[in-house]
Amino acid sequence: MLSDVTTPQDLDDRFRETLAALATPSQRRDPARPVTDDTTLTGARALDLFDAQAVSRQLDLAGRWLRSFGEGYYTIGSAGHEGNAAVAAALRATDPALLHYRSGAFYCVRAAQAAGWTPTDRPAAADGPVEAAPGDPGDPDGPGDGSAPDAADPQEPTGGAGSAVDRPLRPGYAEAARDVLRGMVASSSEPLAGGRHKVFGRADLAVVPTTSTIASHLPRAVGMGLAVERLRRLETSGRRDGVPASGGGGATHTSWPPDAIVVCSFGDASVNHASATAAFNTAGWYDHTGLRIPVLFVCEDNGLGISVRSPKGWVETTLRSKPGVRYFSADGGDLPQAYEAAAEAAAWVRRHRRPAVLHLSTVRLMGHAGADAETAYRSPGEIAADLARDPLTATARLLVGAGLATGEELLARYDEIGWQVRRIAEEVLDEPKLTAPADVVAPLAPRRPARVSRAVADAAARAGGPGAGARAEAFGGKPPELTGPLTLAQSINAALADGMLDHPQMAVFGEDVGAKGGVYGVTKGLRDRFGVARVFDTLLDETSILGLGLGAGLAGMLPVPEIQYLAYLHNAEDQLRGEAATMQFFSQGAFRNPMVVRVAGLAYQEGFGGHFHNDNSVAVLRDVPGLVIAVPARPDDAAPMLRTCLASAAVDGSVCVFLEPIALYHTRDLYVDGDGEWLSHYAEPGAWTGGHVPIGRARVYGVGSAEDVTIITFGNGVPMSLRAAATLADEGVGTRVVDLRWLSPLPVADIIREAAATGRVLVVDETRRSGGVGEGVIAALVDAGYVGAARRVAGVDSFVPLGPAARQVLVSEEAITQGARTLLAR
């Protein structure tokens, strides 16, 4: 007697028992005909989709087998969700897809599509020859791409003649199985992540990798949809793939046709996640404004989030209520119904370029993962009810009932596929794993400083040469180098304009950046110069803003989103950590999401305070591997640093955070009122190359003899330290003031050199003592074997309060001066 627990053995036994009990059909149906009278899904296509579902099921069984002897590292499977094969069949191989981790059957079908398969209605019966029907016509509003099917791999074994098993396995199925199994065993030969994670993803399949962070990929999908539609409409002189003809740097991978739609899948529990809510809201918000976003959300609803049940009716009620998002639904265990609903939904999105959600009811078999004991939270009756809805069994019943195969033939086919999957699993066991730290981190954040420098030089040559006329026109006949000394805000504004001129696919967006020109005027005039398609206001949601940037970068644009205040970033930081920074890491550079995120932050605003507008914490940013963090303090650093970030994003796919000190935006003076010492002239294009600021290089100021003490600082600490150094100079003390400029990666070589020059180091850190930048500086010195004296002046471990109380927890000039004197007295 079979148990009530869906172990791999039990699930397999139940499937076999069911197929053995199926009656032999009285007559055979022409596979070129619809499998039932109420669907367009043909028998031949249904047979092919059964294969995809069987491959997916066998992959789940293989994953549990590998895990049983310690060679498999991922057991979240797709059992119960094999109905998503129908969704893949209803889409085109060129529709970008972001898939959740129960998408085995979808991935198999997509791999077959990319291998040149158009589901051709071939006979599988033994009742005499049946003429094969032609392939799908490739209706632009329907599934399929109209290409001819490739020959099957002759090395793939098939069953005996005259049965449903007497068909070659579709091109791509075995390849997809190998991809998935390589991911399970962490093989470095896995084609996308290279052993770093088990993902569904491959560039040639237009499947964008997603990790297991719940629903965090949905805002990116909305951004991709926005960008795909924008690029479809945009008339530029460059190529559609996002590489501007002007040569303004490299571009991300994108090969999606103009009428592509974006599909993203997720589970029912993810409906409640803030990222999902943000994505639906953003898609609906833009649709309400008339801006088209061709995204198909696919919710696969098995009623469970690990052990937590979705309340009955909650998911449907939630999805139906999303304004601006069309609702479709189907039983994911009913292959024809799922196919028809998916085809209708995909065609609607493709035709109208508007968002929709397809709600598929599914079941979850074999628990959440290998270690999940379902009996702890589910009754035997509940488990049995889901087993009765096994989609693989349902498809088998469909095929037998339609006269396309016998139960015996389908079981033979299932076993043949299982044999092939097990053979592949045994082969990948011996493949190499990642064994060195350098190999693991190689694709994380590639740095090619020579190419970045060359990109800046090329931009300068264009701005001063063939682009000089357009540049003069954009600046109203008076380029910024002719307007006199600029503030930090004005310098950033001019550099953004120059960036827009050089990168045709660059877009600036965020809260209030358009009509208002930003809360502090940093983006003032950009919308008038470059239009609402390239400079636009977003809804007030930081997760959505970053998601738009992620998707736009992936689609070939160069996004420059703005987060209005540093404190506002924290509710959306996983879009940087879990999505942006991981993309190249989990795709070995096959996918990139270049982005420069401008963030107004840090403290010291006079007359305007509170911790939301004076946030001095950057610890969460510095902890993100590969993320570039730039903090310009002076106007003459801001422009070249921004050019570097834009070039690095375009050339290397870098994700950069450009943290702008609010209190220095409009600062003009350094020592006394009216001295204008914090203003700087904007460099003309001919000087951009010589003034290039590479990532990870500091700036050093010498005050007096510069031989007695080294002050290492950044941001607001730079002018305060320079004033403190002037006071010390009056006392005969020579100071080196080192502006880090880059908080990640830290300019370690410059830190060590300047510290060794005096043997006394004062780290002035306007962030907090715990988790602040100063900890990283001191650690770098210790790691390098620095033996001199060192001391820190840092912010108190506190939020920044309102008004004069802020001075009690922030670094002051007096504290810097006293800290240096204490250091010198040792």
Side-chain angles (χ1 to χ4, degrees):
M1 180 166 177
L2 299 175
S3 71
D4 293 314
V5 182
T6 53
T7 64
Q9 181 65 44
D10 184 62
L11 186 62
D12 186 64
D13 286 346
R14 286 176 183 268
F15 180 71
R16 293 176 180 280
E17 182 186 69
T18 301
L19 262 63
L22 294 177
T24 301
S26 58
Q27 62 181 8
R28 296 283 189 167
R29 178 186 289 254
D30 181 350
R33 293 174 52 199
V35 66
T36 62
D37 294 335
D38 58 352
T39 183
T40 60
L41 181 70
T42 64
R45 173 169 262 188
L47 284 165
D48 284 316
L49 295 182
F50 172 82
D51 283 356
Q53 292 180 319
V55 171
S56 180
R57 177 63 56 83
Q58 293 289 0
L59 285 171
D60 287 353
L61 299 178
R64 302 300 178 102
W65 172 70
L66 290 166
R67 183 62 184 150
S68 70
F69 53 91
E71 291 290 347
Y73 306 101
Y74 200 94
T75 54
I76 295 179
S78 305
H81 285 247
E82 291 91 350
N84 55 39
V87 180
L91 295 164
R92 300 180 187 168
T94 50
D95 290 329
L98 296 86
L99 305 177
H100 73 133
Y101 44 55
R102 302 195 189 278
S103 301
F106 186 111
Y107 188 73
C108 288
V109 174
R110 175 57 65 90
Q113 291 171 329
W117 166 54
T118 298
T120 302
D121 300 333
R122 296 177 179 174
D127 291 353
V130 181
E131 183 178 353
D136 289 348
D139 177 5
D141 285 328
D145 59 10
S147 60
D150 287 352
D153 186 345
Q155 295 180 346
E156 293 175 351
T158 60
S163 71
V165 77
D166 186 22
R167 298 179 294 116
L169 196 63
R170 286 297 183 191
Y173 283 0
E175 186 180 2
R178 190 176 298 275
D179 291 349
V180 174
L181 288 165
R182 280 172 162 165
M184 289 179 180
V185 302
S187 166
S188 60
S189 298
E190 193 274 326
L192 195 75
R196 292 167 184 83
H197 195 31
K198 187 263 186 184
V199 298
F200 290 114
R202 250 175 54 193
D204 61 323
L205 305 186
V207 177
V208 180
T210 64
T211 63
S212 58
T213 305
I214 304 302
S216 63
H217 59 292
L218 270 63
R220 179 200 294 277
V222 175
M224 287 179 66
L226 181 69
V228 165
E229 183 63 10
R230 177 186 178 275
L231 294 172
R232 185 177 81 92
R233 295 169 176 267
L234 190 63
E235 294 290 333
T236 69
S237 58
R239 301 203 314 267
R240 184 173 290 279
D241 67 2
V243 182
S246 64
T252 57
H253 165 84
T254 169
S255 58
W256 306 306
D259 64 343
I261 67 172
V262 179
V263 60
C264 60
S265 60
F266 54 99
D268 53 288
S270 294
V271 166
N272 306 299
H273 198 278
S275 296
T277 299
F280 280 116
N281 186 68
T282 302
W285 189 87
Y286 276 114
D287 186 79
H288 186 75
T289 67
L291 189 63
R292 300 309 185 210
I293 299 183
V295 175
L296 176 60
F297 301 98
V298 180
C299 177
E300 297 184 26
D301 181 2
N302 63 29
L304 288 164
I306 305 184
S307 65
V308 179
R309 290 174 173 82
S310 293
K312 187 175 179 60
W314 169 251
V315 176
E316 179 179 354
T317 300
T318 299
L319 295 177
R320 280 187 178 276
S321 67
K322 301 299 183 185
V325 180
R326 180 75 172 261
Y327 178 84
F328 297 86
S329 65
D331 179 357
D334 184 326
L335 193 67
Q337 185 186 137
Y339 175 77
E340 294 298 336
E344 182 184 5
W348 189 88
V349 174
R350 199 180 309 279
R351 182 182 302 114
H352 297 287
R353 319 302 295 169
R354 296 177 63 189
V357 59
L358 172 61
H359 181 199
L360 291 180
S361 60
T362 64
V363 294
R364 189 187 71 189
L365 305 177
M366 294 196 294
H368 174 73
D372 182 25
E374 287 190 287
T375 51
Y377 55 89
R378 302 187 77 192
S379 69
E382 289 176 304
I383 295 172
D386 274 3
L387 281 166
R389 295 177 57 204
D390 181 350
L392 187 61
T393 301
T395 301
R397 288 197 184 101
L398 171 74
L399 294 172
V400 173
L404 292 161
T406 67
E408 182 181 2
E409 289 169 344
L410 292 178
L411 186 56
R413 184 68 168 172
Y414 173 80
D415 283 339
E416 177 65 24
I417 290 172
W419 175 85
Q420 293 194 54
V421 169
R422 179 65 65 90
R423 174 176 57 82
I424 296 171
E426 291 173 348
E427 291 172 357
V428 302
L429 276 174
D430 296 326
E431 292 184 347
K433 309 294 193 291
L434 294 168
T435 57
D439 294 336
V440 173
V441 302
L444 176 63
R447 297 277 182 263
R448 294 177 291 185
R451 293 193 183 187
V452 171
S453 177
R454 187 163 61 248
V456 172
D458 291 344
R462 287 188 293 272
R471 184 169 184 266
E473 182 180 356
F475 284 107
K478 193 172 184 179
E481 59 267 26
L482 300 180
T483 59
L486 304 181
T487 62
L488 180 70
Q490 291 169 332
S491 184
I492 294 171
N493 177 275
L496 285 171
D498 271 324
M500 297 285 280
L501 289 165
D502 193 58
H503 300 274
Q505 302 296 13
M506 177 175 158
V508 174
F509 53 91
E511 301 170 12
D512 301 302
V513 303
K516 184 178 176 64
V519 172
Y520 296 94
V522 181
T523 58
K524 185 177 181 179
L526 294 181
R527 192 182 74 164
D528 294 337
R529 294 178 191 172
F530 300 102
V532 296
R534 299 187 65 193
V535 182
F536 56 91
D537 292 321
T538 64
L539 71 177
L540 273 64
D541 176 59
E542 284 70 31
T543 295
S544 297
I545 292 170
L546 294 179
L548 292 174
L550 288 168
L554 195 59
M557 294 174 62
L558 182 55
V560 183
E562 178 187 293
I563 301 298
Q564 198 167 89
Y565 289 101
L566 177 59
Y568 297 173
L569 175 68
H570 300 308
N571 61 34
E573 58 203 22
D574 187 54
Q575 290 295 297
L576 290 179
R577 185 201 66 83
E579 291 290 316
T582 62
M583 180 52 67
Q584 296 202 80
F585 183 72
F586 287 132
S587 70
Q588 301 184 95
F591 290 101
R592 315 184 317 175
N593 40 222
M595 186 163 62
V596 179
V597 185
R598 292 182 45 252
V599 183
L602 303 176
Y604 297 98
Q605 289 195 80
E606 294 293 334
F608 185 56
H611 72 283
F612 267 111
H613 303 98
N614 281 279
D615 188 5
N616 63 339
S617 176
V618 298
V620 70
L621 294 173
R622 294 192 63 246
D623 188 53
V624 178
L627 193 70
V628 173
I629 307 174
V631 183
R634 291 184 60 94
D636 52 346
D637 276 338
M641 289 173 68
L642 183 54
R643 280 193 286 270
T644 296
C645 287
L646 292 172
S648 182
V651 170
D652 290 329
S654 301
V655 180
C656 304
V657 173
F658 200 74
L659 182 58
E660 302 164 6
I662 297 173
L664 299 180
Y665 268 149
H666 306 300
T667 296
R668 307 176 67 86
D669 307 321
L670 176 58
Y671 299 111
V672 296
D673 290 345
D675 66 14
E677 289 289 329
W678 210 249
L679 300 174
S680 298
H681 287 275
Y682 191 86
E684 53 90 19
W688 290 0
T689 303
H692 172 57
V693 178
I695 291 174
R697 291 303 306 272
R699 178 172 181 171
V700 181
Y701 300 84
V703 182
S705 67
E707 296 178 351
D708 299 311
V709 65
T710 299
I711 298 178
I712 300 176
T713 189
F714 64 94
N716 293 289
V718 178
M720 287 193 295
S721 295
L722 287 172
R723 286 192 288 268
T727 299
L728 292 169
D730 292 340
E731 301 171 7
V733 176
T735 306
R736 293 170 181 252
V737 176
V738 180
D739 179 3
L740 293 170
R741 298 196 292 196
W742 307 92
L743 303 188
S744 184
L746 281 171
V748 174
D750 296 331
I751 290 171
I752 295 168
R753 183 190 65 247
E754 298 304 321
T758 65
R760 298 183 185 89
V761 173
L762 180 67
V763 180
V764 175
D765 180 5
E766 66 174 292
T767 61
R768 301 166 192 167
R769 179 165 291 273
S770 300
V773 176
E775 289 181 344
V777 174
I778 296 295
L781 290 170
V782 172
D783 288 346
Y786 173 74
V787 294
R791 185 178 177 85
R792 278 195 297 161
V793 176
V796 175
D797 289 345
S798 169
F799 298 106
V800 180
L802 189 66
R807 299 171 192 158
Q808 307 306 312
V809 299
L810 296 175
V811 173
S812 66
E813 293 175 31
E814 293 74 16
I816 298 171
T817 306
Q818 188 56 46
R821 290 172 179 150
T822 302
L823 194 62
L824 289 163
R826 288 185 177 180

